[in-house]
Amino acid sequence: EVRLAESGGGLVQPGGSLRLSCAASGFTFSSFAMNWVRQAPGKGLEWVADISGSSGSIYYADSVKGRFTISRDNSKNTLYLQMDSLRAEDTAIYYCVREQWRVSGVLDSWGQGTLVTVSS
Amino acid sequence: DIQMTQSPSTLSASVGDRVTITCRASQSISVWLAWYQQKPGKAPKLLIYKASSLETGVPSRFSGGGSGTEFTLTISSLQPDDFATYYCQHYNSYPWTFGQGTKVEIK
């Protein structure tokens, strides 16, 4: 069974930093591209970042480019999101999401999410 | 960026009804469209990909159609478990974007 477990969320002041982690199990982690998708309270879904299995290809939404860094450690089956220069508008539930095997863009398995709150 | 627009934003229906949700893309995305279901407090769940391919384990009452800029998600006979919010998402090119969501409510 595919399992994605996010951690690292919490309350942070504007301008601060936070690192999210996602522990993956139940599949060959290094074979799948992974993503972060977020959802502000009561709002819709927003794709944040994408990283290929080998980390050779990385893409970001314009709203986070230059402030967030996606990375992965395949030896630890873990996905990361380093979030710097946080803003109030970054407040959201952050989901760790797996892409369908060899099908870029289809988000077939989601974690339960971790809440990030940016507030003073 | 490609904008995705869903209609309606809210839909009131009864158990057994046939329900259709529309998703329009601001430019052609061929068939590179997925549909997701989200229940309150839960993560989204993949229902349909490549516009009309049913994800494994998803009931056959769900179907998708369309190509280019106009797409539909149809539930042939609405069940109590189907009351949720539905999102479309394109994956034609980066950045991937979602529609604003359609909430299916009990009438």
Side-chain angles (χ1 to χ4, degrees):
Chain A
E1 179 192 2
V2 174
R3 176 168 160 76
L4 300 168
E6 302 93 338
S7 60
L11 175 63
V12 60
Q13 291 189 338
S17 298
L18 211 56
R19 189 175 86 151
L20 306 183
S21 299
C22 170
S25 60
F27 64 102
T28 304
F29 182 67
S30 60
S31 295
F32 288 81
M34 298 295 296
N35 293 257
W36 291 97
V37 174
R38 68 184 181 183
Q39 186 169 35
K43 302 298 183 183
L45 300 168
E46 181 187 15
W47 171 78
V48 172
D50 172 30
I51 185 169
S52 64
S54 65
S55 302
S57 296
I58 290 175
Y59 300 90
Y60 296 98
D62 285 346
S63 58
V64 307
K65 201 174 295 182
R67 300 187 300 121
F68 289 12
T69 303
I70 189 172
S71 63
R72 64 192 295 162
D73 185 338
N74 288 341
S75 68
K76 296 182 178 178
N77 289 349
T78 303
L79 176 72
Y80 302 100
L81 185 67
Q82 176 66 41
M83 302 186 295
D84 298 320
S85 302
L86 282 161
R87 307 166 180 166
E89 55 264 35
D90 295 319
T91 294
I93 296 172
Y94 285 74
Y95 293 103
C96 168
V97 190
R98 188 185 80 168
E99 275 179 51
Q100 201 175 60
W101 190 61
R102 291 192 175 180
V103 181
S104 179
V106 179
L107 307 174
D108 73 350
S109 296
W110 298 61
Q112 285 308 298
T114 188
L115 178 62
V116 172
T117 303
V118 184
S119 175
S120 55
Chain B
D1 298 358
I2 298 173
Q3 308 303 317
M4 308 301 293
T5 304
Q6 290 180 230
S7 60
S9 295
T10 306
L11 188 160
S12 296
S14 301
V15 173
D17 284 354
R18 181 181 181 88
V19 164
T20 297
I21 299 168
T22 298
C23 177
R24 290 186 173 86
S26 61
Q27 64 188 73
S28 178
I29 57 170
S30 185
V31 293
W32 309 124
L33 184 101
W35 290 96
Y36 302 86
Q37 177 194 65
Q38 186 179 33
K39 296 180 180 179
K42 301 293 187 183
K45 171 188 171 184
L46 175 66
L47 298 176
I48 302 271
Y49 61 95
K50 205 176 176 183
S52 60
S53 296
L54 197 66
E55 172 70 344
T56 303
V58 173
S60 59
R61 62 181 180 273
F62 291 93
S63 64
S67 65
T69 62
E70 187 153 337
F71 302 86
T72 57
L73 172 70
T74 299
I75 308 172
S76 60
S77 177
L78 199 64
Q79 298 302 300
D81 191 48
D82 301 338
F83 292 97
T85 299
Y86 294 85
Y87 294 94
C88 63
Q89 173 233 338
H90 89 82
Y91 51 101
N92 181 74
S93 59
Y94 291 99
W96 303 331
T97 53
F98 293 85
Q100 80 279 15
T102 295
K103 185 176 182 180
V104 177
E105 298 181 328
I106 300 173
K107 190 172 184 178

